[in-house]
Amino acid sequence: MRYGAETQITRSVIRGGGILRITDLIAKKRRGERLTADEIGFWIDGLETFADYQNSAMLMAIAINSMTESEVTDLTLAMVRSGRALDLSRYGECTVDKHSTGGVGDGTSFIVMPVMAAEGRVAAKLSGRGLGHTGGTLDKLESVDGVRTDLSEKEFFSILDKTGIAIAGQTAELCPADKYLYALRDVTATVDSTALIASSVMSKKLAAGARNIVLDVKTGKGAFMKTQKEAEKLASFMVRIGRRAGRNTSALITTMDEPLENRVGNALEIEGALEVLRGEKRGDVYEVSRSLCKALGVEPERFDRAISSGAAYEKFESMIYAQGGRAGCLDRLPRSRYTAVVTAERGGYLVRTDAMTVAETVLDAGGGRRRKGDPILPEVGVVLLAESGDRVEKGQPLARLHYSREGDGELAVRLAQAFDISDERPKPRSRVVGEIV
Ligand code: URA
């Protein structure tokens, strides 16, 4: 399918006894009215025949007026039907998938999926690219030399048979409607909508076919859902859609006020995940990954063993090579041309590192997209050199900006605004603040 290629902007179809026109449906949603399953199906089935501006207008109308739960369910199912849904039944009940609603410095997929595979599950994940200010699993994976995520159904199954773990992107076969809408939302300020996030996430999860799904719903300054209440609403929406479709679905609510790990950026986050998988680093990303695996049925002690034995690392490595990674690719991840260090303006305790400021810095350094299809610079990003609760001295390095375009060093000035230093030591807080299991 080539969505948005040739447009037939006055397309109308006789359905359910009446004529449907896309402009009428946009107007209906713009007025805040409820769309029927037939109308939603007409829009999604015809996405490629409508113009980008019409599809964007519909997205904006949904983002502003939202949708009822039954509309979101109809939208999700129509998106699944835009491609083929994978049938993983040959692997029995042990198939697992995991999805986050968008984080900063969040490489948990590269830890959770290998641990689950090391524990004998079949880890089959359909992911997305960077969205808004958040990073995307596909962009991160593709920062590894040779790795492909545009897997055909046949390739996906053959990798799962061989390694028990595969992470692919939406393609012309798998969730093409999400592939197209996702890219459009990324550049039309229509990302942070409960209806659009729920349908995007759940269409991928239902199409990828796993029996067991865990959702990591982020809340806070660096998340699309700014409040815990919004995150809980999104989580219960998605869990209900998954369960109604017969999938064993659970969700954690986790905070995203600060980056989850100390590296933010595509290749840098792969490097961070490798450190965790090698047992060299713990911290919040370890704890959240452990909780996500627990929700999928792997107890914390087994999680620790999968890491300490090197079994999870081996699974990750075998997936990287099965998906096209060139020899030695994990030892030579892309490196930025330049670095700039941000130092503490005063002494005290580091109270907070603002996830949004860090994310926007990485985006502006070329780590994300401002326009649909923009190329990204996989090597750029930020490495945090101190974490919340640390005592820091004036002049102490707090972060290193990795950049590759001359002039982007100035972004370090903005990055410096991310750090909040106070005389009072902050209380340690758990990242996991809620769950639906
Ligand atoms: N992840 C997705 O797949 N879709 C969204 O809309 C947000 C996060």
Side-chain angles (χ1 to χ4, degrees):
M1 276 193 188
R2 287 200 314 135
Y3 288 129
E6 290 156 32
T7 57
Q8 188 188 334
I9 56 182
T10 53
R11 180 172 182 265
S12 60
V13 159
I14 299 178
R15 273 198 177 188
I19 292 185
L20 294 180
R21 283 188 199 85
I22 189 63
T23 40
D24 294 341
L25 301 191
I26 297 169
K28 191 171 176 187
K29 196 29 99 181
R30 195 199 65 216
R31 291 192 300 269
E33 293 170 26
R34 190 175 163 157
L35 298 178
T36 65
D38 222 19
E39 289 168 338
I40 290 170
F42 169 77
W43 175 45
I44 296 298
D45 294 350
L47 273 182
E48 65 181 323
T49 66
F50 307 130
D52 274 357
Y53 48 81
Q54 292 176 308
N55 291 322
S56 302
M58 180 63 101
L59 289 172
M60 187 57 82
I62 295 172
I64 292 171
N65 292 314
S66 199
M67 282 180 142
T68 63
E69 192 165 328
S70 81
E71 284 178 293
V72 176
T73 305
D74 292 336
L75 177 57
T76 306
L77 298 178
M79 287 167 73
V80 174
R81 282 196 310 270
S82 71
R84 293 164 58 82
L86 295 181
D87 178 3
L88 301 186
S89 58
R90 68 162 100 159
Y91 303 113
E93 292 295 307
C94 71
T95 47
V96 297
D97 195 353
K98 171 259 161 198
H99 209 89
S100 126
T101 56
V104 180
D106 176 8
T108 49
S109 293
F110 307 129
I111 301 162
V112 171
M113 298 307 270
V115 166
M116 295 309 298
E119 279 294 302
R121 312 302 203 275
V122 173
K125 176 164 164 58
L126 211 52
S127 285
R129 299 199 174 277
L131 193 60
H133 66 281
T134 66
T137 300
L138 302 182
D139 294 328
K140 295 173 202 177
L141 272 179
E142 288 175 6
S143 71
V144 182
D145 185 20
V147 169
R148 285 179 44 231
T149 58
D150 59 339
L151 306 178
S152 67
E153 185 177 335
K154 200 164 153 223
E155 288 173 312
F156 195 71
F157 275 110
S158 125
I159 294 168
L160 281 182
D161 286 343
K162 210 168 3 163
T163 66
I165 172 170
I167 302 181
Q170 320 96 316
T171 61
E173 290 176 13
L174 294 173
C175 253
D178 183 57
K179 184 179 166 81
Y180 168 73
L181 291 177
Y182 197 93
L184 211 52
R185 285 168 59 213
D186 191 25
V187 291
T188 55
T190 51
V191 172
D192 54 350
S193 144
T194 307
L196 296 175
I197 294 176
S199 52
S200 163
V201 169
M202 291 315 292
S203 60
K204 283 193 285 294
K205 299 305 93 179
L206 298 186
R211 303 293 314 154
N212 307 286
I213 299 167
V214 66
L215 305 166
D216 181 2
V217 181
K218 309 287 189 188
T219 176
K221 290 201 178 124
F224 295 127
M225 299 293 110
K226 301 296 178 205
T227 66
Q228 189 163 340
K229 208 163 157 220
E230 286 174 317
E232 281 166 357
K233 183 176 168 206
L234 174 61
S236 32
F237 239 50
M238 294 195 292
V239 166
R240 279 200 294 271
I241 293 173
R243 289 182 183 168
R244 242 184 264 132
R247 311 300 172 84
N248 179 15
T249 312
S250 55
L252 299 187
I253 316 282
T254 65
T255 57
M256 188 41 75
D257 292 307
E258 303 193 67
L260 188 57
E261 58 174 317
N262 73 330
R263 288 174 168 80
V264 182
N266 294 294
L268 287 169
E269 289 180 41
I270 295 282
E271 201 171 285
L274 289 174
E275 279 189 2
V276 175
L277 290 169
R278 288 191 190 111
E280 295 163 3
K281 185 170 83 174
R282 286 212 166 192
D284 288 356
V285 69
Y286 191 93
E287 292 311 323
V288 171
S289 303
R290 218 177 185 213
S291 304
L292 290 166
C293 285
K294 185 163 188 290
L296 286 172
V298 165
E299 289 303 319
E301 311 75 57
R302 294 202 65 100
F303 178 95
D304 293 344
R305 208 165 322 133
I307 299 282
S308 62
S309 66
Y313 182 89
E314 278 172 29
K315 282 292 176 189
F316 182 72
E317 197 176 41
S318 59
M319 179 192 79
I320 289 290
Y321 289 115
Q323 293 193 202
R326 300 211 171 85
C329 56
L330 290 175
D331 299 324
R332 46 178 173 73
L333 292 169
R335 299 246 164 247
S336 66
R337 291 176 69 190
Y338 313 106
T339 58
V341 171
V342 170
T343 56
E345 278 177 3
R346 53 164 288 197
Y349 290 102
L350 182 60
V351 176
R352 187 176 309 108
T353 302
D354 183 56
M356 194 57 126
T357 308
V358 174
E360 295 258 304
T361 305
V362 176
L363 195 60
D364 285 347
R369 298 177 182 80
R370 290 286 185 200
R371 280 182 314 182
K372 201 171 140 195
D374 271 355
I376 58 165
L377 298 173
E379 70 279 15
V380 304
V382 169
V383 177
L384 301 172
L385 304 170
E387 60 184 68
S388 289
D390 284 357
R391 167 104 214 151
V392 297
E393 302 305 326
K394 182 168 190 249
Q396 181 178 325
L398 294 180
R400 201 170 51 234
L401 171 68
H402 291 236
Y403 64 101
S404 284
R405 296 181 302 217
E406 265 177 50
D408 280 352
E410 283 176 21
L411 293 169
V413 176
R414 157 128 58 94
L415 181 58
Q417 308 301 314
F419 303 97
D420 202 353
I421 296 172
S422 147
D423 294 330
E424 269 182 54
R425 185 185 219 132
K427 289 201 184 78
R429 277 170 299 181
S430 171
R431 286 278 189 158
V432 181
V433 292
E435 58 180 15
I436 306 175
V437 288

